[in-house]
Amino acid sequence: MAEITEAGYQTVRDFIETNWIYHSLRDDEDAEILRLSTADARVSWTHAVGAQVLELTTVISGADTDVTTPQIFAGSEIYNVATEGEPLADETFEAFTINTTSDELTVKHRIEVPQVV
């Protein structure tokens, strides 16, 4: 059995960063609230170049026109498609409620792609 080299793992990380570009934020009942792409100014990859752990960060506020207050956020999923599809990575976090236009939520979804040691 052959092992993937560091260059192979980097190719996988590059593929994820290029193609897994839709960040879905979910409520406490796992219903999708928003699905935003990295083309949206509120969404960006925030990890260091060549990092083993990829980090997709989304910052939203109650002032955003696509957020209706009050709104509970409790989960995050990553997709490679703008609608429907299967989540490629998912996680939950402590529920946070945006009640007013001044409330802000930062969600950092982290995806680990191992390195050769």
mmCIF file of all heavy atoms in Angstrom, residues 90-107:
data_model
loop_
_atom_site.group_PDB
_atom_site.id
_atom_site.type_symbol
_atom_site.label_atom_id
_atom_site.label_comp_id
_atom_site.label_asym_id
_atom_site.label_seq_id
_atom_site.Cartn_x
_atom_site.Cartn_y
_atom_site.Cartn_z
ATOM 1 N N ASP A 90 -19.290 19.006 8.302
ATOM 2 C CA ASP A 90 -20.300 19.653 9.144
ATOM 3 C C ASP A 90 -19.853 19.674 10.590
ATOM 4 O O ASP A 90 -19.055 18.848 11.021
ATOM 5 C CB ASP A 90 -21.666 18.980 8.995
ATOM 6 C CG ASP A 90 -21.663 17.547 9.479
ATOM 7 O OD1 ASP A 90 -21.664 17.338 10.700
ATOM 8 O OD2 ASP A 90 -21.649 16.635 8.638
ATOM 9 N N GLU A 91 -20.344 20.666 11.300
ATOM 10 C CA GLU A 91 -20.078 20.758 12.731
ATOM 11 C C GLU A 91 -21.163 21.602 13.384
ATOM 12 O O GLU A 91 -21.841 22.375 12.720
ATOM 13 C CB GLU A 91 -18.693 21.340 13.006
ATOM 14 C CG GLU A 91 -18.460 22.748 12.541
ATOM 15 C CD GLU A 91 -17.030 23.225 12.784
ATOM 16 O OE1 GLU A 91 -16.249 22.509 13.422
ATOM 17 O OE2 GLU A 91 -16.717 24.324 12.338
ATOM 18 N N THR A 92 -21.326 21.391 14.668
ATOM 19 C CA THR A 92 -22.258 22.198 15.441
ATOM 20 C C THR A 92 -21.456 23.060 16.398
ATOM 21 O O THR A 92 -20.284 22.796 16.680
ATOM 22 C CB THR A 92 -23.246 21.321 16.232
ATOM 23 O OG1 THR A 92 -22.507 20.452 17.094
ATOM 24 C CG2 THR A 92 -24.115 20.491 15.295
ATOM 25 N N PHE A 93 -22.075 24.107 16.881
ATOM 26 C CA PHE A 93 -21.442 24.978 17.870
ATOM 27 C C PHE A 93 -22.513 25.456 18.839
ATOM 28 O O PHE A 93 -23.715 25.256 18.592
ATOM 29 C CB PHE A 93 -20.703 26.150 17.203
ATOM 30 C CG PHE A 93 -21.508 26.933 16.195
ATOM 31 C CD1 PHE A 93 -22.353 27.968 16.590
ATOM 32 C CD2 PHE A 93 -21.430 26.627 14.845
ATOM 33 C CE1 PHE A 93 -23.085 28.691 15.665
ATOM 34 C CE2 PHE A 93 -22.154 27.339 13.899
ATOM 35 C CZ PHE A 93 -22.986 28.379 14.309
ATOM 36 N N GLU A 94 -22.079 26.041 19.930
ATOM 37 C CA GLU A 94 -23.027 26.537 20.923
ATOM 38 C C GLU A 94 -23.953 27.551 20.260
ATOM 39 O O GLU A 94 -23.487 28.477 19.586
ATOM 40 C CB GLU A 94 -22.291 27.181 22.092
ATOM 41 C CG GLU A 94 -23.199 27.604 23.211
ATOM 42 C CD GLU A 94 -22.439 28.130 24.417
ATOM 43 O OE1 GLU A 94 -21.273 27.747 24.611
ATOM 44 O OE2 GLU A 94 -23.028 28.934 25.159
ATOM 45 N N ALA A 95 -25.242 27.365 20.427
ATOM 46 C CA ALA A 95 -26.222 28.223 19.772
ATOM 47 C C ALA A 95 -25.986 29.694 20.115
ATOM 48 O O ALA A 95 -25.669 30.042 21.252
ATOM 49 C CB ALA A 95 -27.629 27.807 20.179
ATOM 50 N N PHE A 96 -26.129 30.529 19.080
ATOM 51 C CA PHE A 96 -25.965 31.967 19.222
ATOM 52 C C PHE A 96 -27.157 32.625 18.549
ATOM 53 O O PHE A 96 -27.517 32.272 17.428
ATOM 54 C CB PHE A 96 -24.665 32.434 18.557
ATOM 55 C CG PHE A 96 -24.429 33.909 18.657
ATOM 56 C CD1 PHE A 96 -23.845 34.452 19.787
ATOM 57 C CD2 PHE A 96 -24.802 34.761 17.619
ATOM 58 C CE1 PHE A 96 -23.628 35.816 19.881
ATOM 59 C CE2 PHE A 96 -24.590 36.134 17.702
ATOM 60 C CZ PHE A 96 -23.999 36.666 18.837
ATOM 61 N N THR A 97 -27.765 33.590 19.232
ATOM 62 C CA THR A 97 -28.922 34.280 18.675
ATOM 63 C C THR A 97 -28.549 35.697 18.275
ATOM 64 O O THR A 97 -27.995 36.455 19.087
ATOM 65 C CB THR A 97 -30.084 34.324 19.689
ATOM 66 O OG1 THR A 97 -30.412 32.988 20.072
ATOM 67 C CG2 THR A 97 -31.312 34.999 19.096
ATOM 68 N N ILE A 98 -28.833 36.033 17.042
ATOM 69 C CA ILE A 98 -28.719 37.421 16.583
ATOM 70 C C ILE A 98 -30.085 38.050 16.830
ATOM 71 O O ILE A 98 -31.084 37.640 16.234
ATOM 72 C CB ILE A 98 -28.308 37.494 15.100
ATOM 73 C CG1 ILE A 98 -26.858 37.034 14.951
ATOM 74 C CG2 ILE A 98 -28.498 38.911 14.564
ATOM 75 C CD1 ILE A 98 -26.298 37.133 13.551
ATOM 76 N N ASN A 99 -30.107 39.001 17.746
ATOM 77 C CA ASN A 99 -31.355 39.649 18.130
ATOM 78 C C ASN A 99 -31.533 41.029 17.511
ATOM 79 O O ASN A 99 -32.655 41.453 17.268
ATOM 80 C CB ASN A 99 -31.446 39.792 19.658
ATOM 81 C CG ASN A 99 -31.705 38.482 20.341
ATOM 82 O OD1 ASN A 99 -32.674 37.797 20.029
ATOM 83 N ND2 ASN A 99 -30.838 38.094 21.266
ATOM 84 N N THR A 100 -30.427 41.736 17.326
ATOM 85 C CA THR A 100 -30.503 43.126 16.862
ATOM 86 C C THR A 100 -29.543 43.342 15.692
ATOM 87 O O THR A 100 -28.683 42.502 15.414
ATOM 88 C CB THR A 100 -30.111 44.104 17.992
ATOM 89 O OG1 THR A 100 -28.713 43.959 18.267
ATOM 90 C CG2 THR A 100 -30.915 43.856 19.257
ATOM 91 N N THR A 101 -29.647 44.485 15.057
ATOM 92 C CA THR A 101 -28.773 44.798 13.923
ATOM 93 C C THR A 101 -27.323 44.961 14.352
ATOM 94 O O THR A 101 -26.424 44.846 13.532
ATOM 95 C CB THR A 101 -29.235 46.074 13.204
ATOM 96 O OG1 THR A 101 -29.267 47.147 14.139
ATOM 97 C CG2 THR A 101 -30.614 45.876 12.578
ATOM 98 N N SER A 102 -27.066 45.178 15.619
ATOM 99 C CA SER A 102 -25.684 45.346 16.085
ATOM 100 C C SER A 102 -25.018 44.027 16.490
ATOM 101 O O SER A 102 -23.814 43.987 16.728
ATOM 102 C CB SER A 102 -25.619 46.345 17.250
ATOM 103 O OG SER A 102 -26.376 45.858 18.335
ATOM 104 N N ASP A 103 -25.780 42.939 16.561
ATOM 105 C CA ASP A 103 -25.206 41.631 16.896
ATOM 106 C C ASP A 103 -24.417 41.088 15.712
ATOM 107 O O ASP A 103 -24.820 41.247 14.557
ATOM 108 C CB ASP A 103 -26.295 40.628 17.274
ATOM 109 C CG ASP A 103 -26.960 40.937 18.602
ATOM 110 O OD1 ASP A 103 -26.355 41.665 19.415
ATOM 111 O OD2 ASP A 103 -28.097 40.462 18.810
ATOM 112 N N GLU A 104 -23.287 40.423 16.010
ATOM 113 C CA GLU A 104 -22.440 39.861 14.968
ATOM 114 C C GLU A 104 -21.984 38.470 15.373
ATOM 115 O O GLU A 104 -21.694 38.219 16.531
ATOM 116 C CB GLU A 104 -21.225 40.765 14.749
ATOM 117 C CG GLU A 104 -20.340 40.324 13.607
ATOM 118 C CD GLU A 104 -19.221 41.300 13.334
ATOM 119 O OE1 GLU A 104 -19.447 42.260 12.571
ATOM 120 O OE2 GLU A 104 -18.125 41.103 13.897
ATOM 121 N N LEU A 105 -21.916 37.574 14.394
ATOM 122 C CA LEU A 105 -21.476 36.198 14.611
ATOM 123 C C LEU A 105 -20.346 35.879 13.642
ATOM 124 O O LEU A 105 -20.456 36.142 12.446
ATOM 125 C CB LEU A 105 -22.641 35.226 14.364
ATOM 126 C CG LEU A 105 -22.318 33.731 14.370
ATOM 127 C CD1 LEU A 105 -21.855 33.269 15.754
ATOM 128 C CD2 LEU A 105 -23.530 32.927 13.899
ATOM 129 N N THR A 106 -19.265 35.316 14.171
ATOM 130 C CA THR A 106 -18.157 34.831 13.352
ATOM 131 C C THR A 106 -18.113 33.318 13.490
ATOM 132 O O THR A 106 -17.994 32.809 14.599
ATOM 133 C CB THR A 106 -16.816 35.440 13.801
ATOM 134 O OG1 THR A 106 -16.888 36.851 13.667
ATOM 135 C CG2 THR A 106 -15.660 34.900 12.964
ATOM 136 N N VAL A 107 -18.222 32.607 12.359
ATOM 137 C CA VAL A 107 -18.169 31.148 12.352
ATOM 138 C C VAL A 107 -16.906 30.736 11.609
ATOM 139 O O VAL A 107 -16.718 31.100 10.451
ATOM 140 C CB VAL A 107 -19.411 30.539 11.671
ATOM 141 C CG1 VAL A 107 -19.304 29.022 11.635
ATOM 142 C CG2 VAL A 107 -20.686 30.980 12.377
#
